[in-house]
Amino acid sequence: MDNTKGEFNDHSPESLIAEAIRYQNSGEVDKALTIYTKASLVNPDNSEIFYQIGMLFKLKGQLNEAETNIRKAIFIQPDFVDAYINLGLILQISGRLIEARHATLQAINLSPHLVFPYINLADIMIHQGRADEAQLITIKAISVDPYCPYPYSNLAGMIKGRGLLLQSKKLANSAIKLMPELAEAYSNLSSVLNEMGRLDAAEIAMKFALRSKRNEPILYLNLAGLLMQKGDLDQAEKNLIKGLNLDDKLNHAHFLLSQFSDYRAYPFLRDQLFKSINDTSLKNKEDIDLMFAASNLLHRERRFKESTRYLKQANDYKLALYPSDADKLINRTNEIYNQTSDCLSIRSQISEKSRCLFIVGMPRSGSTLIDSILSMNPEVMSLGEVGIFDEAMSEWHEKSTSDYDNNLYQIYLKRRSKYGKNLNITTDKYLYNYRHVALIASEFPCVQILNCYRNPLDNILSLYRANFKQGNYYSSSLDDSARVLINKEQVMKKFKSKYPLNIYDINYDQLVKKPKQKIRELISWLGWDWSDSYLSPQKNPRSIQTASCIQVRNPINAKSVGGWRNYKELLAPAIEILQANNIDVNYID
């Protein structure tokens, strides 16, 4: 029996619509749909009825039905702006970005003074990889409605990725001023403050975001990421659990949690993780996190064969989504070497001010540990993995002048100054600066270059397990990781013969086995006074934004040395390539 019958006597379209709205407002979606459908039969030329049916189907996640009904509304009323806006959103969610862009442009053409179509169009452009156009459209949105907070917040996120941190911070604060409860603005502000090294302020901003949206799982995930950088794993764990309780498909939370938890306290989450894996067929990039999480848990349980299976599935799929950039990286490295290899060192021009340390090597070679050790010195500031040398070099080439204030070193110092005033010693840990050793050694007085390396198979395995969120796409290919490592070793071997006074080799394996001896030798080479604090880098309060943020919060240990032997069968292709190129064959049994 239809329970909706008898609840109204008037079957006119108006009364049906009024009844549907009542159910809609009370959250009774199915009842509202039933009555709207009856209303559409009574009045098939009413565009609003079909629009509301489409919106209810959109709410239920039934996108095909939503699209069909909203298109009916547009057919009846071709100038229906809201229908075009929501059609664009539905098509975007469905991944039909070209059609979504067309529908959103129709809304803009019909109502050029409405801000939300511009906001939606910019988001579509971002998903199409057209970031420059998205930024321009967002600026247009601000001009259309300077009192709408969303474009300010969105633009803050866009330009943060371009390194415009101060401008990004200003935009996020503008959004918050316009709407103090806008969680997205606080989240963007938190991200900017994190990039600026103001981790405590970033944490506060993220907590403000959570006050505005207590049931938003992604905010708990973001807060957990900040807490992991600070080394507060207990609180990070609590926030990851909160996020997963709100959304059991928050796959990246599983990945982060699996890096430091064995899930013994959360058997239901472990079951949920492996059930999700059994239910998925790797249909989207978020599913990759589940595979890496499963591999991490099985690795912790020393079930290496099973860990290998998930690890290989994750990397194979990731490689299909993000093709390896090994050839591009190797070709660029060789090009830079050929262009700069004749530079002469100016090491003899040492003065005692503005000393620059460069930490170079492969990712996952122990560089974060070295950076933490060095920044225990109160006179040292870690810049992290910033690309300011590349920026400075581009500016230097553009100016092409011998003017002292415009030489490469001075340009670098100016760009470095945005991270702090009166900097004495800084560490620059953009690892691929190994390509620029000749220029660094020849143009920078007071420069010291620390070349990090470790057992190549441990290095390659660590790359394969890292699940980098961006860049280092070669890491999903064992063969290509071996090729990049070999290229790096070959280039650094040549540089070391030309600039022996500038370069110090740091063998990670030896350092973690004999930390007191090896760290003393390093500090002596740097010319610093000794302090026992160098032996306890886990006490360093600095923010760590690399994939090694968890490992370096532990006392120095050699637990990861030789771990490749547990994956010897998996690593067979890399072993063959390394042996063929005479790379540290003594490491290989």
Side-chain angles (χ1 to χ4, degrees), residues 364-540:
R364 310 293 293 167
S365 62
S367 58
T368 301
L369 174 60
I370 298 303
D371 202 18
S372 291
I373 291 170
L374 299 181
S375 57
M376 293 299 288
N377 184 332
E379 295 187 14
V380 173
M381 178 178 176
S382 170
L383 301 175
E385 297 187 0
V386 294
I388 60 175
F389 181 83
D390 279 331
E391 295 170 5
M393 187 174 64
S394 296
E395 183 180 343
W396 181 55
H397 282 311
E398 287 175 8
K399 291 185 175 179
S400 298
T401 176
S402 59
D403 178 21
Y404 174 79
D405 289 334
N406 289 318
N407 65 39
L408 179 58
Y409 177 57
Q410 291 301 320
I411 293 171
Y412 180 89
L413 293 184
K414 288 177 184 176
R415 290 185 173 271
R416 187 183 77 161
S417 66
K418 71 179 180 180
Y419 294 90
K421 295 181 179 180
N422 302 317
L423 298 177
N424 183 18
I425 304 172
T426 56
T427 57
D428 183 331
K429 201 176 79 72
Y430 184 69
L431 297 173
Y432 296 112
N433 278 333
Y434 68 75
R435 301 176 294 185
H436 300 297
V437 163
L439 268 180
I440 293 169
S442 63
E443 296 291 332
F444 282 53
C446 317
V447 73
Q448 293 168 303
I449 301 166
L450 307 179
N451 175 42
C452 298
Y453 67 100
R454 67 187 293 194
N455 179 312
L457 291 173
D458 279 335
N459 201 161
I460 291 168
L461 176 62
S462 188
L463 287 167
Y464 201 62
R465 296 185 62 213
N467 189 21
F468 293 107
K469 288 296 105 179
Q470 58 183 3
N472 302 317
Y473 299 124
Y474 65 85
S475 63
S476 290
S477 165
L478 296 169
D479 292 24
D480 283 352
S481 290
R483 291 172 53 226
V484 172
L485 186 148
I486 290 166
N487 178 253
K488 177 261 174 184
E489 288 297 317
Q490 291 171 339
V491 168
M492 284 305 298
K493 183 177 180 180
K494 296 173 184 176
F495 283 144
K496 284 185 287 185
S497 67
K498 292 189 175 185
Y499 314 108
L501 296 177
N502 296 88
I503 301 172
Y504 186 86
D505 284 337
I506 300 176
N507 183 321
Y508 171 82
D509 300 342
Q510 292 179 8
L511 185 143
V512 296
K513 289 178 179 178
K514 302 176 181 178
K516 191 166 185 177
Q517 175 189 336
K518 294 301 176 182
I519 294 174
R520 275 189 176 275
E521 291 173 0
L522 169 61
I523 299 303
S524 175
W525 183 81
L526 292 169
W528 299 355
D529 293 332
W530 174 254
S531 168
D532 286 340
S533 65
Y534 294 125
L535 298 175
S536 303
Q538 75 277 9
K539 297 178 181 179
N540 196 321

Side-chain angles (χ1 to χ4, degrees), residues 234-440:
D234 288 339
Q235 287 300 315
E237 184 172 350
K238 289 177 182 178
N239 280 280
L240 289 171
I241 298 302
K242 287 179 182 177
L244 284 166
N245 284 336
L246 288 168
D247 181 3
D248 60 7
K249 292 181 172 56
L250 195 63
N251 295 349
H252 194 57
H254 273 301
F255 172 67
L256 293 181
L257 190 61
S258 72
Q259 291 183 292
F260 61 90
S261 171
D262 58 12
Y263 279 55
R264 288 181 185 175
Y266 316 105
F268 66 97
L269 283 179
R270 190 184 190 283
D271 292 343
Q272 178 192 98
L273 168 63
F274 283 96
K275 182 180 184 302
S276 297
I277 289 174
N278 292 333
D279 291 344
T280 186
S281 56
L282 282 177
K283 293 179 180 177
N284 58 67
K285 61 183 180 182
E286 288 77 19
D287 294 336
I288 293 171
D289 283 330
L290 290 177
M291 294 295 180
F292 276 106
S295 177
N296 286 342
L297 287 180
L298 293 166
H299 174 88
R300 196 181 297 274
E301 295 168 4
R302 302 191 64 78
R303 295 162 63 181
F304 299 115
K305 284 190 176 180
E306 294 168 87
S307 174
T308 294
R309 178 164 62 89
Y310 289 114
L311 187 59
K312 190 172 187 311
Q313 284 181 348
N315 278 293
D316 285 350
Y317 185 61
K318 193 171 183 180
L319 198 60
L321 288 177
Y322 309 106
S324 172
D325 52 357
D327 288 336
K328 180 180 178 181
L329 179 58
I330 291 170
N331 291 339
R332 180 61 179 150
T333 298
N334 292 338
E335 179 185 359
I336 292 171
Y337 175 81
N338 291 331
Q339 290 172 349
T340 63
S341 60
D342 293 333
C343 297
L344 298 175
S345 173
I346 56 171
R347 171 75 172 174
S348 60
Q349 299 180 19
I350 288 180
S351 66
E352 285 305 316
K353 66 177 182 178
S354 300
R355 296 183 65 184
C356 301
L357 291 175
F358 287 84
I359 300 174
V360 302
M362 291 287 290
R364 310 293 293 167
S365 62
S367 58
T368 301
L369 174 60
I370 298 303
D371 202 18
S372 291
I373 291 170
L374 299 181
S375 57
M376 293 299 288
N377 184 332
E379 295 187 14
V380 173
M381 178 178 176
S382 170
L383 301 175
E385 297 187 0
V386 294
I388 60 175
F389 181 83
D390 279 331
E391 295 170 5
M393 187 174 64
S394 296
E395 183 180 343
W396 181 55
H397 282 311
E398 287 175 8
K399 291 185 175 179
S400 298
T401 176
S402 59
D403 178 21
Y404 174 79
D405 289 334
N406 289 318
N407 65 39
L408 179 58
Y409 177 57
Q410 291 301 320
I411 293 171
Y412 180 89
L413 293 184
K414 288 177 184 176
R415 290 185 173 271
R416 187 183 77 161
S417 66
K418 71 179 180 180
Y419 294 90
K421 295 181 179 180
N422 302 317
L423 298 177
N424 183 18
I425 304 172
T426 56
T427 57
D428 183 331
K429 201 176 79 72
Y430 184 69
L431 297 173
Y432 296 112
N433 278 333
Y434 68 75
R435 301 176 294 185
H436 300 297
V437 163
L439 268 180
I440 293 169

